[in-house]
Amino acid sequence: MSLTTYWLEHAWLGTHVEPGVVLEAGADGRIAALRTGVETPPPGAEALRGLTVPGLANAHSHAFHRALRSLVQVGSGTFWTWREFMYQVAQNLTPDTYFALARAVYAEMALAGITNVGEFHYVHHAPGGAPYADPNAMGEALIEAAAEAGIRITLLDTAYLSSGFGEAPNPHQLRFSDGTADAWAERVSALKPREHALIGAAIHSVRAVPAGQLATVARWAEERQAPLHVHLSEQTAENEACRAAHGRTPTQLLADHGVLGPRTTGVHNTHLTDGDIALLGGTTTGTCMCPTTERDLADGIGPARQLQHAGSPLSLGSDSHAVIDLLEEARAMELNERLRSRTRGHWTANALLTAATGGGHAALGLPDAGRLEAGALADFTTIALDSVRTAGPLPRLGAETAVFAATASDVRHTVVGGRHIVRDGSHTLVPDVPSALSESIAALRA
């Protein structure tokens, strides 16, 4: 078996930083062996200087939202006014323009150390709602974009059927809707996983899927043992509308229809009651926090600490891509909690890195990723310990340095399946990522 040997100057092994680690990646894209106590690079090994951690998992992405960066920072407004800008961008997407944009966005993620993305995908059809000749043309564009950018993707194909608790989709939302959950299930069943791509499911929100059709989506995911994600209680207005329509919270409504469980992840989980927290924790339903988007949209600070203590596993996402930086997401989760509670140290650096790595991969259906050990996928990233942000601390404090000082700009290498995707800060497959982003975003304004 052909092996690629890497020498890791320092490696985070989940509980501590170990100096001098040799990692052998097999032709199958998995870690064949891991050896510690190797002080210098063996002959023929690729030396990765800095701190190597498992690949970061971006558990919640809307790739086309990257085109909104800065545009939505003009003036003021709310989540609901921001949504109008989002609709305008969505209307200009085609399979070709979405492929070009997503390829650039996923390349930006690779530069930030992300090896796997959960794409919460709901722009399915042409404007007006007519299906493309291939009804999954938009999803296939995203899968191919991830392949060309060199990262893994879990395509969370999203049921989005209503503008709110039984109301018909508005004109902007027609291209999101399959009409019924059964029609959604028929379409998404034609999508096939491949080496770099898994197919999962999503319920956009309780306002976007009628209560009587929630179980159809949950059943589709259950039959395939696929991950199932849902935007949950991101806005107080959603909670109030759900109570008015159903006399219960969104979390309770999902529980009543069999949506909660260990393969399900609630995204945001911001405005929850104590009973909601107990339901999510008791069913081991996951929580994906997206702090940079939640603060950008003024959503609020979700009860991540209470959720984890109740039994809800944590993951992280960049969501609307106000920035793409999973280290910042991890840092923000802790710092937000400090601001709210006026106490420090709710999570250790190890715990925050776990949410950004193993927790995210598990939420995306890849429990065999997110750790540096034999048998795991050979997906990892190296963070510089000698930049202006990270120089100075002792290497044994590498986890603390990565979470509380480093940024995506400090990522030096990204390896996926044993293959170098980012080398010395440059993408090996997409030579000019900034130009790719500029050109693909400009095409949406044409």
Side-chain angles (χ1 to χ4, degrees):
M1 180 174 66
S2 175
L3 295 173
T4 303
T5 302
Y6 293 94
W7 179 76
L8 317 180
E9 184 182 28
H10 303 282
W12 177 70
L13 300 183
T15 57
H16 66 287
V17 173
E18 186 78 27
V21 174
V22 167
L23 185 155
E24 294 181 343
D28 61 355
R30 294 182 178 273
I31 299 172
L34 203 71
R35 301 195 307 275
T36 60
V38 184
E39 295 183 1
T40 58
E46 293 197 52
L48 304 184
R49 298 194 179 274
L51 176 70
T52 297
V53 304
L56 305 176
N58 189 351
H60 189 67
S61 162
H62 302 292
F64 78 92
H65 289 191
R66 175 62 177 80
L68 296 168
R69 189 180 292 180
S70 297
L71 173 68
V72 291
Q73 303 302 341
V74 178
S76 59
T78 66
F79 169 87
W80 307 103
T81 55
W82 169 89
R83 192 172 68 157
E84 294 304 313
F85 284 103
M86 180 270 288
Y87 286 152
Q88 293 171 26
V89 171
Q91 285 298 100
N92 292 329
L93 292 171
T94 67
D96 289 341
T97 61
Y98 206 4
F99 164 78
L101 176 60
R103 174 178 176 268
V105 174
Y106 297 155
E108 181 182 358
M109 290 185 192
L111 289 170
I114 293 164
T115 59
N116 188 22
V117 60
E119 185 61 40
F120 199 103
H121 165 55
Y122 56 82
V123 187
H124 302 305
H125 308 299
Y132 290 102
D134 174 0
N136 286 305
M138 296 294 268
E140 293 289 355
L142 293 167
I143 291 170
E144 182 59 27
E148 293 210 6
I151 69 171
R152 303 183 194 276
I153 184 171
T154 297
L155 187 74
L156 298 161
D157 195 287
T158 304
Y160 193 136
L161 310 173
S162 168
S163 65
F165 298 101
E167 297 180 14
N170 68 36
H172 295 298
Q173 296 165 341
L174 288 173
R175 68 181 313 191
F176 307 162
S177 177
D178 291 293
T180 67
D182 286 333
W184 166 85
E186 181 178 358
R187 178 185 55 75
V188 73
S189 293
L191 284 165
K192 302 303 179 188
R194 51 218 77 172
E195 185 176 359
H196 78 290
L198 298 179
I199 308 302
I203 292 164
H204 180 273
S205 55
V206 293
R207 68 177 186 274
V209 176
Q213 300 185 58
L214 292 170
T216 300
V217 184
R219 185 166 54 251
W220 185 94
E222 174 66 27
E223 289 171 352
R224 292 158 180 79
Q225 295 294 286
L228 173 62
H229 288 214
V230 55
H231 289 133
L232 181 56
S233 289
E234 182 178 6
Q235 293 288 319
T236 55
E238 177 182 288
N239 288 357
E240 292 162 2
C242 187
R243 286 183 183 277
H246 298 290
R248 62 204 68 197
T249 67
T251 300
Q252 291 168 327
L253 186 66
L254 294 175
D256 290 347
H257 292 275
V259 175
L260 303 185
R263 286 179 299 93
T264 300
T265 297
V267 181
H268 304 302
N269 292 359
T270 307
H271 302 285
L272 303 177
T273 67
D274 289 345
D276 292 339
I277 292 170
L279 267 175
L280 293 168
T283 55
T284 61
T285 299
T287 293
C288 179
M289 301 299 291
C290 305
T292 65
T293 291
E294 289 151 5
R295 71 191 184 197
D296 182 59
L297 297 179
D299 287 343
I301 300 171
R305 184 167 175 265
Q306 297 97 308
L307 282 160
Q308 187 176 43
H309 286 178
S312 178
L314 297 181
S315 56
L316 296 165
S318 64
D319 192 1
S320 69
H321 312 313
V323 296
I324 293 177
D325 188 339
L326 263 286
L327 300 175
E328 173 61 20
E329 303 294 345
R331 174 163 55 244
M333 187 165 69
E334 166 67 23
L335 298 186
N336 283 354
E337 193 64 34
R338 292 183 187 185
L339 281 174
R340 178 167 60 180
S341 66
R342 293 185 291 172
T343 59
R344 304 176 77 232
H346 302 281
W347 291 278
T348 64
N350 287 331
L352 293 167
L353 272 181
T354 296
T357 57
H361 290 293
L364 297 178
L366 279 177
D368 52 350
R371 58 189 185 277
L372 300 180
E373 62 180 48
L377 291 171
D379 298 355
F380 45 91
T381 189
T382 303
I383 300 162
L385 295 179
D386 58 358
S387 76
V388 293
R389 287 166 294 277
T390 61
L394 294 170
R396 64 180 175 81
L397 297 176
E400 287 77 9
T401 302
V403 171
F404 292 106
T407 72
S409 297
D410 296 310
V411 170
R412 293 292 175 263
H413 305 281
T414 301
V415 174
V416 181
R419 180 174 66 148
H420 238 118
I421 302 302
V422 173
R423 187 188 299 273
D424 296 319
S426 296
H427 203 289
T428 64
L429 303 176
V430 183
D432 188 347
V433 178
S435 291
L437 286 163
S438 294
E439 291 165 10
S440 60
I441 291 170
L444 297 178
R445 294 194 292 263

